[in-house]
Amino acid sequence: MTVAEIFETRKRPVSFEIFPPKGDLSVDEARSVVSELAELTPDFISVTYSAGGGGNVGATTEVAHMISHEFEIPSVAHLTCQGLTRAGLAEKVEEFRAAGIENVLALRGDPRPDLPAGDFEHASDLIGPLVDAGFCVGAAAYPEGHIDCLDVDEDVRHLKEKQDAGASFLVTQLFFDDDCFYRFRERTIHAGITIPITCGIMPFLSKKQVSRMIFMCGASLPSPIIKLLARYEGDAEALREAGIEYASDQLVDLARHGVDGLHVYTMNHPDIARANVGAIRA
Ligand code: FAD
């Protein structure tokens, strides 16, 4: 089933992101994560992609295949432009087809100077060829603007280009302040973006993780989170629980505000997904 069909036929789909095993780790590791996530009956699961170096390029396809064929849950394989040539894309298309993959999240990826230059600069350049090859294609959206783009309106214009290129759905970067998303949603409506936007939420688990994320993606850190980080500084377990609870509250608030979908960045921790989904369904 394609993600476009899921958004057309189901109310507010709930989905997860996982990452495939790296290096020599076996796909069985991902299988045990997916089997726990499957119990939560997500509408789809997306699988990240690392363009070389991480050792999991092929694993994205293998894990996405496993999700849809062994667990009968629609899957989305991520793909980035980094180092990708036209010939490389043709090979990927064949690999995806052979694995029965229907949905692809087209991304630029973060610049990789260690890789040879590819033929695709932006995600929007990758979307058309993937749509032409018969895939249902999604793309990334940034409620607070992409970190490279100082003008949020310009970023939204580039987002519209993804829809114009044929994207059928959008998945947002993480955000910790739902009001940022509601303002962004207004902007997308004014820009003529009509495809569904599912909200990506990542629970904070530690101060180190939060710092890395905010500097990597430019998400703002609301003061309630700063206070929780200060309060539980010496208690890792309590901080983790507070992070999961904060994310659950965010998801419930988003559902109440009628967002199109909810997407949990599980970081391969099924207990996070379980707590978040429990809160949404309750
Ligand atoms: P683009 O859409 O190309 O945008 C990048 C920047 O260029 C933005 O500032 C944008 O405003 C600007 N821009 C876009 N189009 C144009 C244009 N035509 N002219 C000029 N400027 C333009 N990374 C991975 O490596 N693997 C993953 O699996 C992965 N999964 C992700 C999943 C989600 C849901 C999200 C939100 C991000 C993910 N990322 C992943 C990270 C992503 O690759 C980075 O955020 C990357 O820096 C931007 O990717 P993009 O597809 O949004 O790029």
Side-chain angles (χ1 to χ4, degrees):
M1 191 175 197
T2 68
V3 171
E5 287 165 343
I6 291 169
F7 278 106
E8 276 162 24
T9 55
R10 298 185 194 168
K11 191 182 172 205
R12 199 172 305 113
V14 174
S15 54
F16 301 141
E17 179 191 276
I18 64 166
F19 45 80
K22 290 201 171 81
D24 295 331
L25 286 176
S26 94
V27 170
D28 286 341
E29 186 205 31
R31 183 174 286 108
S32 78
V33 171
V34 174
S35 75
E36 285 194 58
L37 294 178
E39 290 167 12
L40 305 169
T41 61
D43 291 285
F44 65 90
I45 298 178
S46 77
V47 188
T48 64
Y49 179 84
S50 171
N56 67 353
V57 175
T60 298
T61 307
E62 207 175 336
V63 173
H65 170 80
M66 180 249 292
I67 292 167
S68 50
H69 289 77
E70 286 180 36
F71 293 91
E72 297 181 352
I73 296 169
S75 65
V76 179
H78 295 200
L79 180 65
T80 70
C81 300
Q82 298 307 303
L84 190 69
T85 58
R86 293 203 175 275
L89 178 62
E91 279 173 27
K92 268 287 159 203
V93 163
E94 285 316 312
E95 181 184 304
F96 287 161
R97 280 189 184 138
I101 284 161
E102 292 182 277
N103 306 292
V104 181
L105 194 72
L107 300 144
R108 182 192 72 177
D110 289 319
R112 292 281 302 266
D114 55 316
L115 295 177
D119 291 330
F120 305 93
E121 192 177 349
H122 288 290
S124 48
D125 303 327
L126 201 53
I127 293 169
L130 285 167
V131 171
D132 291 345
F135 297 102
C136 170
V137 181
Y142 300 84
E144 298 180 72
H146 183 265
I147 194 153
D148 295 348
C149 194
L150 294 180
D151 178 349
V152 183
D153 289 323
E154 187 188 329
D155 203 44
V156 170
R157 280 196 293 280
H158 293 312
L159 191 59
K160 173 73 164 44
E161 287 164 11
K162 297 183 186 187
Q163 174 178 286
D164 295 344
S168 303
F169 65 99
L170 298 168
V171 184
T172 76
Q173 181 57 281
L174 66 90
F175 53 89
F176 296 112
D177 179 355
D178 288 358
D179 287 338
C180 290
F181 179 78
Y182 305 137
R183 287 193 291 274
F184 168 74
R185 184 167 59 171
E186 287 301 313
R187 280 200 176 90
T188 62
I189 292 167
H190 287 300
I193 294 171
T194 54
I195 55 178
I197 306 174
T198 191
C199 297
I201 296 297
M202 180 183 283
F204 60 86
L205 303 180
S206 70
K207 198 170 176 179
K208 195 171 149 203
Q209 174 228 16
V210 173
S211 319
R212 192 163 43 85
M213 292 318 299
I214 58 174
F215 283 104
M216 211 162 87
C217 70
S220 49
L221 201 56
S223 81
I225 295 192
I226 298 170
K227 288 177 184 169
L228 288 169
L229 291 171
R231 176 181 297 178
Y232 297 120
E233 184 142 28
D235 187 342
E237 192 46 43
L239 180 61
R240 190 178 194 277
E241 273 173 34
I244 295 173
E245 192 181 330
Y246 186 94
S248 292
D249 290 346
Q250 267 194 283
L251 289 158
V252 169
D253 183 69
L254 290 164
R256 287 207 178 110
H257 281 78
V259 300
D260 297 327
L262 300 168
H263 186 71
V264 179
Y265 291 107
T266 71
M267 298 170 278
N268 289 10
H269 294 296
D271 63 312
I272 290 180
R274 197 171 301 114
N276 288 165
V277 169
I280 298 164
R281 295 195 175 140

